[in-house]
Amino acid sequence: MNKIFNKDNLGFGGLQWLYWGGYGTVFPFLVIYLKSKGYNEVATGAVMASMVVVSVFAQPFWGSYCDRKRTVRDVLAGCLLASGIITLFIPVAYRSFAAIILLVFVISFTENSMSSLIDSWTVNAARKKTWIDYGLTRGMGSLGFAFTALLFGALIDRFGYGLMFPTHLFVIGLFIICCFYVEKRNKFADVLPEHDSEKKDHPRFQLKGSGKFLWFLVSSTLVFIGFRATLTFYPILLSQRGGNNMDLGLSIFILALCEAPLFFLSKKILRRYKDTAVILTAMVFFIVKIFLHIGVVSVPGLIAVQATQ
């Protein structure tokens, strides 16, 4: 038990919990917030679509930047702090559609794209410290997302939307403190494998011309886009069916809570089954989930569908 709940797992788990917890204070409820300010479905859809598109292209950019600079702490802390401050301007800027698009663009570039950096930092650290369990730490992120969304769904309905934005910045402050703690124990420059572009065994040469890798890259990118799009546009669908913030918070709670056990057990699952089989199974469930949304017309039904996550 002590090997599982060690300082490294708790540190990386804290990063995941605070990152997804901070995300859960604002972004799941942003659609309903904008609709309450007079935005129609086309406008809210455009705002959320820009968020998805930017995050798809921002992730490889930040990943490449961190590899070249051999740092991740400064990028995570700087980007999330910038996003937290910029988010405070949403209640002022909502009157201008162009201003909201610009804010969401910057927020998505600086915050929504950071999850892959936390994952990369954890996985690279686990190569040297085998007791670090990525599945455990990522599962803690799902729990943070679940409980934060459930709590804020109730709080927003009771106290209003003004609670979201300062709380979001406060959670980011805790994230930055945790980030510096993790950096002391697992410097990214130390855990990142040394690379030499002239070596023939460098991954770039190994993957060059690999058809299987390219197919995996394309399919995983499409699944990521689908996942982000579903998570982003689900609040619009729920709102169309008559759902409120409490219903949305409950939906996300069920979604995140159902995925957490799979993260916790991921190491055992991957030992027993091939990773390709696990990925394909997850893809099938995800596709089924998307189609289930089409035929469900009631709020309780939409909430129940999230259990297929």
Side-chain angles (χ1 to χ4, degrees):
M1 184 64 69
N2 291 333
K3 291 183 178 180
I4 297 176
F5 294 103
N6 54 70
K7 291 182 178 180
D8 292 305
N9 278 335
L10 291 175
F12 282 113
L15 283 181
Q16 295 280 8
W17 181 289
L18 292 169
Y19 173 81
W20 287 105
Y23 184 94
T25 60
V26 172
F27 299 106
F29 307 101
L30 189 57
V31 167
I32 301 180
Y33 169 78
L34 292 176
K35 291 192 70 175
S36 73
K37 298 300 182 181
Y39 280 58
N40 58 30
E41 293 174 359
V42 174
T44 53
V47 171
M48 303 314 290
S50 66
M51 184 177 293
V52 175
V53 173
V54 171
S55 64
V56 169
F57 291 99
Q59 289 199 16
F61 168 81
W62 286 120
S64 176
Y65 178 85
C66 289
D67 284 345
R68 284 187 283 109
K69 298 297 183 179
R70 306 187 72 78
T71 181
V72 69
R73 180 201 65 186
D74 295 341
V75 172
L76 285 173
C79 284
L80 264 74
L81 179 60
S83 177
I85 295 173
I86 292 170
T87 304
L88 294 175
F89 290 93
I90 290 179
V92 179
Y94 75 87
R95 295 178 180 85
S96 169
F97 176 74
I100 284 291
I101 286 287
L102 179 61
L103 288 181
V104 167
F105 182 97
V106 177
I107 291 168
S108 184
F109 188 76
T110 55
E111 180 169 354
N112 291 7
S113 55
M114 291 294 110
S115 60
S116 60
L117 293 185
I118 303 172
D119 294 341
S120 175
W121 193 3
T122 309
V123 171
N124 279 304
R127 291 174 177 171
K128 291 192 174 182
K129 296 182 177 180
T130 56
W131 56 85
I132 296 177
D133 188 336
Y134 167 76
L136 174 65
T137 62
R138 182 57 184 83
M140 291 175 69
S142 295
L143 292 180
F145 191 30
F147 288 106
T148 303
L150 182 65
L151 176 64
F152 266 77
L155 291 177
I156 291 171
D157 277 345
R158 184 170 183 179
F159 299 107
Y161 292 100
L163 186 67
M164 297 192 305
F165 308 107
T167 305
H168 176 245
L169 181 59
F170 174 75
V171 176
I172 284 177
L174 296 178
F175 174 89
I176 292 174
I177 294 173
C178 186
C179 204
F180 276 80
Y181 169 78
V182 174
E183 171 74 6
K184 288 183 179 179
R185 298 183 57 85
N186 299 276
K187 291 184 178 180
F188 189 68
D190 294 339
V191 302
L192 189 66
E194 294 292 336
H195 61 273
D196 184 353
S197 59
E198 300 300 322
K199 291 182 179 180
K200 294 297 181 181
D201 60 350
H202 186 265
R204 188 177 65 184
F205 289 95
Q206 294 176 349
L207 297 175
K208 187 177 181 180
S210 174
K212 291 182 178 179
F213 172 76
L214 291 176
W215 276 111
F216 172 76
L217 183 63
V218 172
S219 61
S220 60
T221 300
L222 291 175
V223 170
F224 169 78
I225 293 173
F227 170 76
R228 277 292 186 182
T230 302
L231 187 63
T232 301
F233 291 102
Y234 174 76
I236 297 178
L237 179 62
L238 186 68
S239 178
Q240 289 175 340
R241 301 291 189 266
N244 56 24
N245 288 304
M246 184 65 189
D247 297 323
L248 180 57
L250 181 59
S251 296
I252 295 172
F253 174 77
I254 293 174
L255 179 151
L257 197 66
C258 288
E259 74 178 12
L262 294 178
F263 280 122
F264 292 145
L265 297 173
S266 60
K267 183 176 287 188
K268 292 184 178 180
I269 293 173
L270 290 172
R271 284 174 181 170
R272 185 169 182 178
Y273 303 101
K274 293 182 177 180
D275 51 358
T276 52
V278 174
I279 293 172
L280 287 173
T281 302
M283 287 181 178
V284 169
F285 268 93
F286 183 73
I287 293 171
V288 170
K289 177 184 175 181
I290 292 176
F291 280 100
L292 285 175
H293 283 96
I294 298 174
V296 178
V297 296
S298 67
V299 171
L302 286 173
I303 294 173
V305 166
Q306 306 315 305
T308 60
Q309 179 72 9

